Each structure stands twice: as structure tokens, then as C-alpha cells.
Amino acid sequence: MTLLSNRRQAMALGAGAVAAAFLGQSIVPAFATNNSDELIKKFTGGKTPAAGRVKLDLPEIAENGNTVPMTVLVESPMTEQSYVAAVLIVADGNPNGGIATFHFSPASGAAEANTRIRLAATQNIIAVAKMNDGSFFTASKQVKVTIGGCGG
């Protein structure tokens, strides 16, 4: 009786493992939803950013999505009266939309940041600048990714 009980347990355990493997594959993509719109709404407090003042410098075609150079620049005098407080960068095609948030002050001198980002596929990169007076400005640029990336 013990041997039969162990066989049944082994069969049940094996069937459960196979089912979990198949079900796990269909469940994982559900967690990989892009949250860029939510991040922008949270950053702006629901306000709609105006176009302008933000410049995104990215290549039109990225031969390697693992390391895409990016520069963001926001036109501002960067004085105590008028300055860029923060810039949010999101990617609307990555599994997780958040790329970076840069914080500035009048002591920064210029609201400019350079970095390299990782892109899963061809997508839009969106920059939203928050000014010290509570206004928001935005710019976006599409980057075509040919190989690599965080998805491939």
C-alpha cells in the first residue's frame, strides 16, 4: 500500500509540476504590462504637460537596444525664481516604463542629463519636466531598435 501511495504522490507531483510550467508561461506576460502612462500621471499629479522647452536627443535607429545614448535638456534660466525641479523619462514599450528621474536645483546651472538607456523594442521615449512653479513640459521621440534590447 505504501508503494502505491508513493507512486500516486509522485504522479500527482509530476503532473502538478508540468501544469505549473505551462501555466507559468501564460501568467508571466500579464505582469509585464507597461506602466508609463501611470508614471506620468503620478509625476504630474494628473496635469497635462505642454509641448515645448524639453529637448530629447536620441538616435533614430539603435543598432543595439542594450545601450542607447540619450540626452535630455530643458530650457530654463535655472534661477531661484524659475528652474527645473525634476525630469521623468519613460519608455512606452519596455516591460517597465520607468527609465530615470533626474532632480535639479538652481545650483545645477543647467537642466541637462546624459545617460544610456535600455530599450526592449522600437518605441517612444517620453520626457516630462516639472518646473518649480508646478507647470509641466514634455517631448517625445521614437527610437527604432534593430537588435538586442531587454526583451531580446
Side-chain angles (χ1 to χ4, degrees):
M1 201 52 113
T2 309
L3 182 59
L4 184 58
S5 177
N6 287 338
R7 275 191 197 155
R8 285 185 181 163
Q9 289 174 351
M11 292 296 285
L13 182 62
V18 170
F22 283 112
L23 290 175
Q25 290 178 356
S26 64
I27 291 171
V28 172
F31 292 114
T33 58
N34 182 277
N35 60 345
S36 59
D37 289 337
E38 294 170 23
L39 292 170
I40 292 171
K41 285 179 186 173
K42 183 177 179 183
F43 184 73
T44 63
K47 294 181 181 178
T48 302
R53 296 182 71 170
V54 179
K55 181 183 177 204
L56 267 173
D57 186 17
L58 291 145
E60 288 185 29
I61 298 173
E63 292 182 14
N64 183 353
N66 287 320
T67 177
V68 180
M70 180 200 76
T71 299
V72 61
L73 172 68
V74 183
E75 296 173 14
S76 172
M78 297 303 285
T79 63
E80 289 292 332
Q81 295 76 28
S82 178
Y83 64 92
V84 178
V87 176
L88 172 70
I89 309 293
V90 297
D92 70 3
N94 276 359
N96 181 353
I99 296 286
T101 302
F102 301 102
H103 298 277
F104 300 98
S105 74
S108 300
E112 181 176 354
N114 302 298
T115 190
R116 293 188 180 271
I117 61 176
R118 191 172 186 185
L119 302 177
T122 298
Q123 60 190 293
N124 295 309
I125 307 306
I126 304 158
V128 181
K130 179 180 183 177
M131 308 304 284
N132 68 311
D133 65 1
S135 61
F136 294 90
F137 295 92
T138 188
S140 67
K141 185 168 182 183
Q142 184 180 60
V143 178
K144 293 183 181 186
V145 178
T146 57
I147 62 168
C150 57

